Amino acid sequence: MDLGLADRVYVVTGGSRGLGLATARALVDEGARVVISSRHEEKVTSAVAQLGGADRAIGIEADLAAPDTAERLVETALSGFGRLDGGLLSVGGPPPGSVAAATDEQWRAAFETVFLGAVRAARTLVGRLGDGGAVGLVLSSSARSPIRGLGISNGLRPGLAMAAKDLADEVGPRGVRVFGLLPGRVLTDRIRELDASSGQEGRARTLASIPLGRYGQPEEFGRVAAFLLSPAASYVTGALIPVDGGALPTL
């Protein structure tokens, strides 16, 4: 199936590892070019090399919480590749812990990055996209059902999902699409850290709750994200798409 991604250009935040890098890889494999960002310069440099170098990828060191990051990403795409067709907005998850245990400082820091940073970037991207553009937000299955021990995520992700839906309604008449992705237990560094904190019993309980009986691989997420960003998914907008092996107990 031709996804129509050849020579299209996408921004991918958090693109130096995990779900972001897997999505950038899937996009590049389909002929697209990417601008990736990460807070760590050495990780950006390594990821660009993995993606085929400057002909296929440009990387910048940036924090999504910084007010100028979104505009920098857009300008880098336009100056480096001459166009912009969309983006995937992925940020690291907030620290684990219950709602009652999380401090005000932890809530504020997570809000700046997970919520406001993502909204600002989405707003900036859709403002520069024309007909056929697409923006995906990497959320979490906690947007639909709370995850034990992830109180801050449980608090912020549903609001971000609703903001994505509202934005999709607003920009849809211009032919621009916005959607959310709800990864479940996909094997990234973040999931390894959560598993380490919950122990063998916690991991066993998690596996038992996944109908497919296993964790997902980042590339499985990346292929779904690349499809949804592509022209092949041109009638998908305002939707939240689980990539979780069937673990969500809700429709």
Side-chain angles (χ1 to χ4, degrees):
M1 182 178 183
D2 182 3
L3 299 183
L5 285 168
D7 297 323
R8 288 178 175 260
V9 176
Y10 295 89
V11 162
V12 181
T13 69
S16 69
R17 63 177 189 162
L19 303 181
L21 179 57
T23 300
R25 174 82 269 167
L27 290 168
V28 167
D29 286 349
E30 291 291 334
R33 291 169 290 180
V34 295
V35 174
I36 64 170
S37 69
S38 168
R39 292 177 295 173
H40 307 286
E41 183 177 2
E42 68 279 6
K43 292 181 179 179
V44 170
T45 301
S46 174
V48 167
Q50 293 177 57
L51 293 169
D55 287 343
R56 306 312 308 176
I58 300 172
I60 67 170
E61 180 185 358
D63 186 343
L64 201 61
D68 66 339
T69 291
E71 195 61 40
R72 284 178 59 206
L73 288 165
V74 169
E75 292 305 323
T76 299
L78 294 176
S79 62
F81 292 133
R83 62 185 288 173
L84 178 65
D85 297 281
L88 184 82
L89 304 177
S90 177
V91 298
S98 69
V99 169
T103 66
D104 285 1
E105 185 173 338
Q106 288 176 320
W107 277 102
R108 289 191 187 98
F111 175 81
E112 288 289 332
T113 301
V114 173
F115 192 95
L116 183 57
V119 168
R120 183 190 298 117
R123 182 181 66 212
T124 301
L125 286 174
V126 300
R128 305 293 284 274
L129 295 176
D131 189 8
V135 174
L137 287 84
V138 180
L139 305 171
S140 165
S141 59
S142 62
R144 285 189 177 160
S145 182
I147 300 173
R148 180 182 299 178
L150 294 181
I152 296 178
S153 180
N154 294 336
L156 296 180
R157 300 292 192 183
L160 188 55
M162 191 61 74
K165 171 61 176 169
D166 186 84
L167 187 60
D169 293 346
E170 181 178 352
V171 301
R174 294 199 284 112
V176 177
R177 300 184 295 112
V178 180
F179 58 88
L181 286 155
L182 309 182
R185 228 58 176 189
V186 180
L187 199 55
T188 62
D189 290 344
R190 163 78 165 174
I191 295 303
R192 292 185 182 95
E193 291 169 3
L194 293 175
D195 272 359
S197 67
S198 65
Q200 286 297 109
E201 283 191 15
R203 188 177 192 277
R205 283 196 303 269
T206 299
L207 279 170
S209 72
I210 303 172
L212 288 185
R214 64 176 177 85
Y215 285 5
Q217 295 299 317
E219 56 267 27
E220 293 179 296
F221 176 92
R223 289 192 292 265
V224 175
F227 166 73
L228 290 169
L229 288 168
S230 79
S234 57
Y235 204 54
V236 178
T237 193
L240 301 178
I241 312 297
V243 188
D244 67 347
L248 267 173
T250 61
L251 290 176

